[in-house]
Amino acid sequence: MKASTSKVCITPRGTFYMDGYSSDERQLPALGVHDDAYAILVLLEEGDEDLLFASLDVCTITLSKTQRLRELLSESTGVPDDRIVLVSIHSHSCPIGMRDNGLIDKETYGYNELVCGLVAQAASGLRSALVEVKAELSRTHVRGWYSNRNDKDKPFDDEAYVIRFVDDDGTVVAALSNFNCHATVVGPKNRYLTTDVQGGVRAQLATWLGVTPLEFTGASGDLGNRQFRKGNDFAELARVSNGIAGEMMKGPFEQIDLDGIKAREWRYDVDYDNTAYYPMYRERLAESEQTLADPDSSFDARKLARSAVLRLRQKLEMERIAFPIVMRTYDLGDLVFVTFPGELGSVFGLRIKSMFPGKTAIVVGYANDGRGYFVPKDDFGLGYESYSTRMYPGGVETVLDAYEEQL
């Protein structure tokens, strides 16, 4: 197999707004940059088959906002669209401009065009930089830094992976890394750009590996560090990032056999009468409004209630909800990647992994599109995720039943 990587800074110049929260502070322009935003690209090639990963330091991407970028990436690398995996790191303090229906009605002028140009340019040299590599995988479990944010005793996927591609001289040519946690250490009052915990861990791993890994999160819709947090400032961000990175560095590497790159795309069309759920939405809207009106509500409770009110009011304006879910499966032999266009509850990630016995299966969340939260049926009503999801209770279980059946 051959591999190459590139990295480009996508921090905007001038006035910009940040995505991720609906707080009063986010209605104002960012005050500056704590750490830069980047795009990381990794190209893999095996014979006449290839696979391109591209990660953006933004909160969320949607297909309509990134379609031009996908076209440019395909043109500059020769990789067909169905073999391009475009993901966001989901920091809630990165520039807005790569998705529809954000939490604030602001836009960073020209940001989409800036990202498209810079990332396409960075991708143009990937093909000529390809070198022969062997793949090595490290896996470990990360506990004590994050958990299921609805209840820390609920099960969650705590596996973390580092995949490095090493040449004949032992140099790491490219790398991928994955752990499952929301990048939300720094809170909604922050007005400085930061890649948060995903970027913080990535920076530590880059020093260790000698190359910046392309990092993605998997099924993280209900994961966070809320129960372990000792603050929401940059000191806490450093503490958490260093702690998670330290755990990931403990896993020993072992060589894995990669045999071709087999790609499969699968689609499920969601379409249902949303008015049937209006009574439930109204009940939850009243609960969230009561939380906002209660002066004794905690900071975190008010933060989540504010976003819940926004999303629930939007859902009460939708009589019918219809959208596609497109999942892509990339089988590389010992290793399988499964993409999902949204924020899966963590038990769903575990279920997807179980569908590939004998292989290391890694879920790639926030991939290629942003369809919001996908909540387990039993978790409806437990938190903000079930207030904002566009999927009815039990709907995701039906989707994954159909996905497993076609494998």
Side-chain angles (χ1 to χ4, degrees):
M1 176 167 283
K2 294 181 179 180
S4 63
T5 190
S6 63
K7 171 183 176 181
V8 61
C9 180
I10 56 171
T11 299
R13 304 294 183 187
T15 301
F16 67 94
Y17 294 85
M18 296 194 303
D19 197 3
Y21 294 109
S22 60
S23 61
D24 292 337
E25 289 80 4
R26 292 303 176 85
Q27 305 297 324
L28 302 171
L31 291 175
V33 177
H34 180 270
D35 48 277
D36 281 311
Y38 288 93
I40 314 297
L41 300 97
V42 171
L43 176 63
L44 304 178
E45 180 186 86
E46 177 72 19
D48 59 357
E49 299 172 329
D50 43 30
L51 177 59
L52 174 64
F53 289 95
S55 173
L56 303 180
D57 285 353
V58 296
C59 181
T60 302
I61 59 173
T62 52
L63 184 61
S64 61
K65 286 279 190 170
T66 56
Q67 190 60 52
R68 180 54 181 159
L69 175 57
R70 300 184 69 88
E71 293 171 356
L72 290 171
L73 287 173
S74 185
E75 291 172 7
S76 62
T77 63
V79 178
D81 182 84
D82 65 347
R83 290 173 178 264
I84 296 175
V85 182
L86 189 63
V87 301
S88 65
I89 66 165
H90 204 57
S91 166
H92 285 41
S93 293
C94 273
I96 194 169
M98 301 304 293
R99 69 151 159 172
D100 299 308
N101 301 318
L103 291 171
I104 62 173
D105 58 351
K106 305 292 184 181
E107 192 74 29
T108 300
Y109 182 76
Y111 190 61
N112 193 295
E113 292 81 1
L114 173 76
V115 172
C116 285
L118 290 174
V119 176
Q121 184 180 46
S124 64
L126 286 171
R127 188 72 69 181
S128 61
L130 285 167
V131 297
E132 289 285 348
V133 294
K134 60 182 179 181
E136 298 177 341
L137 171 71
S138 166
R139 76 176 76 210
T140 189
H141 293 265
V142 179
R143 289 270 168 171
W145 295 98
Y146 61 88
S147 63
N148 188 307
R149 60 189 185 182
N150 292 319
D151 183 341
K152 68 178 181 180
D153 295 322
K154 291 177 71 70
F156 69 97
D157 185 1
D158 68 343
E159 277 195 305
Y161 303 94
V162 178
I163 305 163
R164 64 186 185 189
F165 301 94
V166 184
D167 67 13
D168 290 339
D169 296 329
T171 301
V172 180
V173 172
L176 306 171
S177 63
N178 162 252
F179 69 97
N180 304 309
C181 185
H182 259 84
T184 54
V185 173
V186 179
K189 291 185 177 297
N190 170 56
R191 289 173 61 195
Y192 288 88
L193 189 159
T194 175
T195 54
D196 213 289
V197 69
Q198 293 288 344
V201 171
R202 182 181 67 195
Q204 297 296 317
L205 296 180
T207 301
W208 176 55
L209 292 166
V211 66
T212 301
L214 185 150
E215 190 157 84
F216 52 85
T217 185
S220 304
D222 50 13
L223 299 185
N225 78 321
R226 188 179 303 158
Q227 292 96 343
F228 301 94
R229 194 175 298 163
K230 296 182 179 181
N232 60 359
D233 56 12
F234 290 111
E236 175 67 359
L237 174 57
R239 186 186 75 87
V240 174
S241 299
N242 291 343
I244 294 173
E247 292 299 316
M248 293 178 70
M249 293 177 192
K250 293 178 181 178
F253 282 95
E254 59 181 24
Q255 188 168 337
I256 54 175
D257 294 326
L258 303 185
D259 180 20
I261 306 172
K262 301 177 181 65
R264 178 188 301 176
E265 181 175 285
W266 179 80
R267 174 175 172 139
Y268 185 99
D269 289 303
V270 177
D271 189 349
Y272 66 95
D273 177 10
N274 189 46
T275 63
Y277 299 95
Y278 278 8
M280 179 176 68
Y281 300 156
R282 292 190 182 103
E283 181 180 350
R284 291 175 178 167
L285 178 59
E287 293 171 354
S288 298
E289 289 176 333
Q290 184 176 359
T291 297
L292 289 176
D294 184 354
D296 295 327
S297 295
S298 69
F299 175 81
D300 279 343
R302 293 177 64 82
K303 174 184 72 174
L304 296 174
R306 184 166 183 166
S307 295
V309 166
L310 173 66
R311 291 307 191 197
L312 286 167
R313 286 175 177 169
Q314 290 174 343
K315 289 171 74 172
L316 283 166
E317 296 176 355
M318 304 175 188
E319 294 186 356
R320 189 158 207 91
I321 291 181
F323 63 93
I325 295 174
V326 178
M327 298 173 64
R328 289 173 174 172
T329 306
Y330 301 99
D331 190 334
L332 282 69
D334 286 350
L335 189 62
V336 176
F337 295 101
V338 180
T339 71
F340 194 86
E343 305 185 56
L344 278 170
S346 53
V347 296
F348 294 135
L350 292 168
R351 180 180 173 186
I352 291 171
K353 288 182 175 184
S354 72
M355 298 177 188
F356 300 90
K359 295 177 180 285
T360 297
I362 300 179
V363 178
V364 186
Y366 311 90
N368 299 322
D369 203 355
R371 296 295 179 176
Y373 286 104
F374 292 82
V375 180
K377 181 179 181 180
D378 293 341
D379 285 357
F380 266 75
L382 292 183
Y384 161 70
E385 300 87 7
S386 60
Y387 298 165
S388 63
T389 180
R390 298 179 67 203
M391 181 65 84
Y392 56 89
V396 195
E397 287 83 353
T398 301
V399 172
L400 293 186
D401 286 345
Y403 172 75
E404 185 170 17
E405 185 176 344
Q406 60 85 42
L407 285 177

